[in-house]
Amino acid sequence: MAILLLVVIFIMYIGLGIPDSLFGTAWPAVYAELAIPVEAGRYVTAFISGGTIVSSLNSAWLLKKYGTGKVTFVSVLLTVAGLYGFSKASSMTELLLSAIPMGLGAGAIDTGLNHYVALHYKASQVNFLHCFYGIGVTLSPFLMSMALAGKDGWRGGYQKALLFQAAIALLSFITLPLWKMAEKNFSLKTKTKRENDIREEMSVRKLVRQKTILFGWMIFFCTCAIEFTCGAWGSTFLVETGRAGVEKAAELTMFYYAGMAVGRGISGFLVTKMTEWKIIFTGQLIVGSAIILLLFPASAAVSGAALFCIGLGNGPLFPNLTYLTPANYGIENAGIVIGTQAVVSNLGILLAPFLFGLLIPVTGAKGFPWYLLALFGAMGAATAGLVFRLKGEGRYYDG
């Protein structure tokens, strides 16, 4: 029963990914049709991320009161409502209103399913969970590129994504009884561990005093900042710099998200052969090299390959860092730390694309790779700091 539930969770995580990549892919067509300034996209991403932060902050008591299954079902329904609103929007106000349920739905799904899988399943399964998120964010640009190339336009892309999300909502409703059935199959030891986590976990105030948590937060902030800045502005960068047309840019954005899915899928297999830290270091090396490649004028194919490699290297970072949380901060603190990591991750998702939108009038879209390079530098420095502190505390393992 636990394996069947895991399969359902994987499918639900596709639903988490579907809305995330639609807006950035569609935006060049959206702002042109609605006569909105290109930099105004930062407000939409800010509303989505703001809603995600709100639901992440409240997810602990929601999950405790209603259970992961029910919270996930309602959250998927909220994203369905958001997608419907986007498909019908004819003004900036309607886009912003539609962004609210989109963000609220995403936050609870992300926090709830991450903690549930990290607690009950293996490291490889955490990686595969995020691989399915990669499938969702890859599917959306594919659907959008098809719609943009045809007569349906960007609204048709949202409508197609809406159908997929509605099907996932139906599945999450039908399988609600699975959560209680699977719970009975988990060992008493796991249940006791979870109860101890809730009883003995540190307060956020005490966590902030630990330098290790600050370094960890910065890594989560930066990896998500890079991921969503690429998703929100990668297509615009390709179009505005003349490297690709609107339809081609949408296709290349799809390959960026495909790289993320492939990276997480490969990581799921490699984690049985390599330590999580080795996977993290390798991923960061790939990301840095790909960003440098984007700095130079290149064809659409080369730029698309660079974006693919950014997704490939960055994709495994979040799941592997999440799985390392009990080892890095103590199993008794895992629950609260994962919650705070979700919050800082969503701050990265909120702030980074928004700040780049502010820079566009000054630097133009050509500042995109330099912005990514700055985020990568901060992530590298935070990684070095975290490793140094963990080694000093005897918590670092890279056997």
Side-chain angles (χ1 to χ4, degrees), residues 216-252:
W217 283 346
M218 179 57 69
I219 300 171
F220 274 94
F221 179 95
C222 290
T223 185
C224 290
I226 290 172
E227 176 183 333
F228 278 81
T229 300
C230 284
W233 295 106
S235 184
T236 302
F237 164 72
L238 295 172
V239 173
E240 294 295 316
T241 56
R243 301 190 186 196
V246 173
E247 294 84 2
K248 186 65 175 179
E251 293 177 6
L252 294 177

Side-chain angles (χ1 to χ4, degrees), residues 109-253:
I109 299 173
D110 194 18
T111 303
L113 295 185
N114 258 305
H115 185 243
Y116 194 89
V117 176
L119 181 65
H120 292 301
Y121 297 93
K122 299 176 181 179
S124 60
Q125 292 163 331
V126 175
N127 275 279
F128 287 129
L129 173 69
H130 288 266
C131 177
F132 276 82
Y133 170 84
I135 293 173
V137 293
T138 304
L139 177 63
S140 292
F142 173 72
L143 296 173
M144 185 60 69
S145 63
M146 288 179 59
L148 290 172
K151 62 180 181 180
D152 295 331
W154 62 271
R155 296 180 192 279
Y158 271 102
Q159 290 165 3
K160 288 180 173 63
L162 173 61
L163 293 176
F164 276 90
Q165 197 74 342
I168 292 173
L170 179 61
L171 175 66
S172 65
F173 175 74
I174 294 172
T175 56
L176 279 175
L178 270 182
W179 294 88
K180 288 185 178 180
M181 295 168 66
E183 191 73 17
K184 296 177 181 178
N185 293 333
F186 291 123
S187 67
L188 179 61
K189 180 180 179 180
T190 302
K191 291 181 180 179
T192 303
K193 179 182 69 175
R194 183 176 13 159
E195 292 168 359
N196 289 338
D197 287 348
I198 295 172
R199 184 175 62 253
E200 299 173 7
E201 65 187 11
M202 282 188 177
S203 66
V204 175
R205 182 178 298 179
K206 290 182 179 179
L207 284 172
V208 173
R209 296 172 186 168
Q210 297 187 21
K211 291 185 178 179
T212 49
I213 194 69
L214 299 178
F215 286 126
W217 283 346
M218 179 57 69
I219 300 171
F220 274 94
F221 179 95
C222 290
T223 185
C224 290
I226 290 172
E227 176 183 333
F228 278 81
T229 300
C230 284
W233 295 106
S235 184
T236 302
F237 164 72
L238 295 172
V239 173
E240 294 295 316
T241 56
R243 301 190 186 196
V246 173
E247 294 84 2
K248 186 65 175 179
E251 293 177 6
L252 294 177
T253 303

Side-chain angles (χ1 to χ4, degrees), residues 65-79:
K65 184 173 183 179
Y66 299 107
T68 307
K70 291 179 181 178
V71 171
T72 301
F73 167 61
V74 174
S75 298
V76 175
L77 282 182
L78 285 171
T79 62

